[in-house]
Amino acid sequence: AMSARRNHEKRWGSAAAVAVAAGLAALLHGCTPTPAGPPTAPPAVTGQVRVATVGDSITYGTCAEDRDVGSWPARMQALLGSNFSVGNFGKIGTTMLKTGMCNANGGDCSYWTCDQFTYALNSAPDIVTIMLGTNDAAPYNWEGQQAKGDSYEADYKEMIKTFRDLPTKPDIIVMVPPPLHKPPSQFPFSRKVINDIYPVLIHKIAKENGAIVIDTHSSLDGLDHEEVFCDGAHPSDAGYYHIARVAAQVVKRLALARSKGEAGSKLRWSTSHAIHNFTVPETTTPPPAKKGQASGHPLEAAA
């Protein structure tokens, strides 16, 4: 057991160092504002389901040995196959709060002002996943910015509406952030906010806005901490693979429903309930990540 622990620490030590460096860089630089104006959607490939994944470093793939293939959106792409096109629009250090700060001294770290937000809007998505909140849980944001009048819940609802109003009328999946396991001191996030408030609040937001919930928090919380997290906040390759497996099931189910014209609010909420009660797979160790897309199965195979 001690040998396995040492091997684990050796394997993920460098990844955790990269995560810390990337996180601190985000705290210093924040987001680059993008020009205002309507997005220009690129032409969609006929018959291909376009998925936009919106989020922070957990969506970006911090801690993955190779984020191009090891982030959860990249692994979901491989699981879904060529009938789908998954865009990773994760940005390290970002918040759902429109006034989200990078640290206690200020800085703009709101996802709303990042290029990735514009890219996601321009991607002509059929399905959008949103997982933002970890950086909002820092006290200078959760207690500070909200006390000044901003609202995580209100901004979340507005982001859902912003995507839903696109010409493609995408279905929205909201994802509860992974649990926080006693993070190192450089991560000033509130465990109470992430572990207690979000699992309730994000379900409420989804129900009131007709969105699907993927309860990443619940599905990862029962798994071995060392196996699926690299630094207490970011998943490891195994953790990202597990998120991808859960998300791929939801995306396939929703894409099939859209193809049959059945993506109504009743279906969305029943899907949310099913995923909330998702049984954690026994195996979380990911297969070797490979460049490129898997061939995949037709949408009907997801039924």
Side-chain angles (χ1 to χ4, degrees):
M2 289 299 294
S3 177
R5 181 182 179 88
R6 283 193 295 270
N7 289 338
H8 172 87
E9 291 173 346
K10 180 179 180 181
R11 180 181 181 188
W12 295 115
S14 59
V18 171
V20 171
L24 292 177
L27 294 180
L28 291 173
H29 298 294
C31 285
T32 301
T34 53
T40 302
V45 177
T46 302
Q48 194 174 49
V49 179
R50 300 171 70 88
V51 184
T53 61
V54 170
D56 50 31
S57 57
I58 295 171
T59 296
Y60 176 84
T62 296
C63 269
E65 289 191 349
D66 181 351
R67 66 166 294 268
D68 290 334
V69 292
S71 67
W72 75 259
R75 287 193 174 276
M76 182 171 72
Q77 173 70 80
L79 291 169
L80 291 172
S82 58
N83 286 317
F84 295 79
S85 175
V86 179
N88 186 338
F89 301 105
K91 173 67 174 179
I92 295 173
T94 51
T95 68
M96 173 59 76
L97 286 168
K98 289 184 175 182
T99 60
M101 294 171 20
C102 303
N103 54 46
N105 296 318
D108 178 12
C109 273
S110 174
Y111 190 86
W112 291 84
T113 60
C114 287
D115 287 336
Q116 282 78 359
F117 184 40
T118 299
Y119 298 153
L121 290 170
N122 290 351
S123 68
D126 299 297
I127 297 170
V128 177
T129 70
I130 302 173
M131 181 162 55
L132 286 165
T134 300
N135 297 293
D136 297 86
Y140 44 80
N141 285 321
W142 191 259
E143 298 169 6
Q145 293 305 92
Q146 292 199 113
K148 296 177 182 178
D150 201 352
S151 167
Y152 176 84
E153 183 174 356
D155 291 347
Y156 211 130
K157 291 179 178 179
E158 185 174 343
M159 183 174 286
I160 290 173
K161 184 179 186 302
T162 300
F163 278 109
R164 187 169 283 152
D165 286 346
L166 291 173
T168 53
K169 304 298 180 186
D171 282 284
I172 311 299
I173 298 171
V174 298
M175 302 176 69
V176 183
L180 189 63
H181 294 277
K182 295 182 180 178
S185 59
Q186 64 266 17
F187 296 130
F189 311 135
S190 166
R191 296 182 69 200
K192 177 178 177 58
V193 172
I194 293 175
N195 295 342
D196 299 333
I197 294 177
Y198 285 161
V200 176
L201 177 59
I202 293 176
H203 275 272
K204 174 179 178 286
I205 292 171
K207 186 173 184 179
E208 293 177 353
N209 292 271
I212 290 174
V213 179
I214 294 180
D215 197 337
T216 308
H217 183 281
S218 293
S219 65
L220 284 175
D221 197 35
L223 299 179
D224 178 67
H225 175 199
E226 283 198 358
E227 180 185 1
V228 297
F229 285 87
C230 77
D231 59 6
H234 298 93
S236 64
D237 275 4
Y240 285 133
Y241 176 58
H242 179 72
I243 294 173
R245 290 180 66 185
V246 177
Q249 290 187 34
V250 183
V251 168
K252 278 187 176 182
R253 190 181 308 174
L254 184 54
L256 178 59
R258 284 179 66 92
S259 72
K260 295 180 177 180
E262 299 174 351
S265 60
K266 182 177 180 180
L267 172 71
R268 284 197 289 269
W269 189 244
S270 65
T271 303
S272 164
H273 179 73
I275 296 305
H276 178 61
N277 293 290
F278 179 77
T279 301
V280 177
E282 294 182 3
T283 302
T284 56
T285 303
K290 298 179 180 179
K291 298 284 186 181
Q293 296 181 184
S295 58
H297 298 287
L299 293 181
E300 286 71 16

